[in-house]
Amino acid sequence: MMKNLKKIFGLLFFGSLLLLVFFISFNVELTEKPKIQVIEIDGNFHMSKDKYYEFANLTNRKEYPLLSTSLIKDRFEKHPYIHRADVKMDRSGNVYVKLLEKQFEALLFLKEDQYLITTEMQLVKVLPFSRAINYPVISNPKMAENSANNFVSKSSDIVTGLKIAFALKLLSPVLYEGLAEIDLRNGRDILLISSLFEYPIVVGRGNEIAKVAYFNELWKKLSENKINDVLEYVDLRYDGHIFLGFPIDETKDGDAA
């Protein structure tokens, strides 16, 4: 008798447990997901939040309850500057978007257009109202048409400019920060323009990385001796030799002093 009662009690308990699990799961399924009320973004650097909202068509808050987190993610990730958008929503319907922008290395001047070059060698056209575009400028590349499908070809002259920028970035953060322009001069001798001093650096063609390394060592000595203030140019075109251009002091009648 006691055994039967235990069995009956066990069956009733197991059945009650099943009913409870079913009831809980049923209620969870019936519970509606919260409607989106607020969308907050963070991680923007090259564009203002307002411009990102405009691009994603998220300026009208009345439409938020009709959206989903996946749709919001898709809209932000279609922006040319965005690498990834992480989207999360809390129980109150507040959506938080963490933007991860693409990493840019240089600014390319190509005829009348301007492009940002990513670490993946992708060309991204500079958009209106962009900000903090403080990257070295690469100008006048030879055969720029080699760049296809918005990516820089390995054989493109643009790669030469990028290698010079990378070399300076590794060798001297100070020189890299001051690097204003790498003028590729349509295949002729490369010129470097810096905001740290007024004279140009004539790099020429071939062994560009080694020449930049030589100049880095030279610049340290020039800075110590304050010769930077009087130089007119530095010529690195000749392997193993560096030529410094000094102003010629002329007398009033035109004769050299």
Side-chain angles (χ1 to χ4, degrees):
M1 184 68 178
M2 291 296 296
K3 289 183 179 181
N4 290 335
L5 288 175
K6 288 182 179 180
K7 287 182 179 180
I8 293 172
F9 178 77
L11 290 173
L12 289 174
F13 177 78
F14 183 70
S16 299
L17 187 61
L18 287 177
L19 287 173
L20 180 61
V21 171
F22 176 77
F23 178 77
I24 293 173
S25 62
F26 182 74
N27 279 325
V28 169
E29 290 179 359
L30 288 180
T31 302
E32 293 185 3
K33 292 183 179 180
K35 299 293 183 181
I36 297 175
Q37 305 297 327
V38 176
I39 301 175
E40 296 183 7
I41 63 176
D42 188 24
N44 62 300
F45 184 69
H46 291 102
M47 297 287 287
S48 67
K49 292 182 179 181
D50 290 341
K51 293 302 174 183
Y52 275 130
Y53 280 123
E54 287 179 14
F55 180 89
N57 195 22
L58 297 173
T59 56
N60 187 358
R61 294 196 174 191
K62 294 181 179 179
E63 296 179 356
Y64 285 5
L66 304 176
L67 304 176
S68 64
T69 54
S70 60
L71 180 60
I72 295 171
K73 177 181 176 66
D74 181 67
R75 289 187 183 182
F76 278 114
E77 290 184 346
K78 285 181 178 178
H79 194 285
Y81 289 179
I82 299 300
H83 172 65
R84 189 178 74 243
D86 296 327
V87 183
K88 296 181 179 179
M89 182 171 65
D90 63 20
R91 294 180 179 179
S92 300
N94 299 318
V95 172
Y96 303 93
V97 182
K98 179 67 175 179
L99 299 177
L100 180 62
E101 295 179 330
K102 295 175 182 177
Q103 293 185 355
F104 300 117
E105 294 293 340
L107 182 62
L108 174 65
F109 283 9
L110 197 57
K111 296 181 180 179
E112 296 181 356
D113 295 321
Q114 297 181 17
Y115 297 87
L116 287 161
I117 308 177
T118 71
T119 53
E120 303 297 327
M121 301 294 182
Q122 182 186 11
L123 296 179
V124 179
K125 196 164 185 177
V126 176
L127 299 177
F129 305 104
S130 296
R131 64 185 191 184
I133 310 296
N134 301 319
Y135 298 101
V137 172
I138 297 177
S139 63
N140 302 313
K142 181 182 179 182
M143 298 178 66
E145 63 272 14
N146 285 346
S147 300
N149 300 321
N150 294 327
F151 282 87
V152 178
S153 168
K154 292 182 179 179
S155 61
S156 173
D157 198 30
I158 300 170
V159 174
T160 302
L162 287 172
K163 287 180 178 179
I164 293 173
F166 290 154
L168 278 176
K169 191 174 185 178
L170 292 174
L171 290 168
S172 173
V174 175
L175 282 177
Y176 175 76
E177 288 296 325
L179 181 61
E181 182 177 358
I182 303 171
D183 189 349
L184 299 171
R185 303 183 69 232
N186 297 303
R188 293 178 290 154
D189 290 331
I190 299 171
L191 295 180
L192 303 185
I193 308 298
S194 176
S195 62
L196 300 177
F197 37 79
E198 295 184 0
Y199 58 84
I201 306 165
V202 187
V203 178
R205 291 280 174 170
N207 298 323
E208 294 90 359
I209 306 305
K211 292 175 181 177
V212 167
Y214 295 151
F215 176 75
N216 177 51
E217 295 301 319
L218 172 66
W219 181 75
K220 294 176 183 177
K221 297 179 180 179
L222 293 177
S223 300
E224 292 173 359
N225 297 313
K226 297 183 179 180
I227 301 178
N228 272 318
D229 298 336
V230 297
L231 281 178
E232 290 193 339
Y233 65 85
V234 172
D235 194 339
L236 307 173
R237 287 178 293 179
Y238 308 99
D239 290 339
H241 297 84
I242 298 177
F243 292 90
L244 306 180
F246 291 93
I248 299 175
D249 185 16
E250 298 183 351
T251 59
K252 293 181 180 180
D253 59 5
D255 295 331

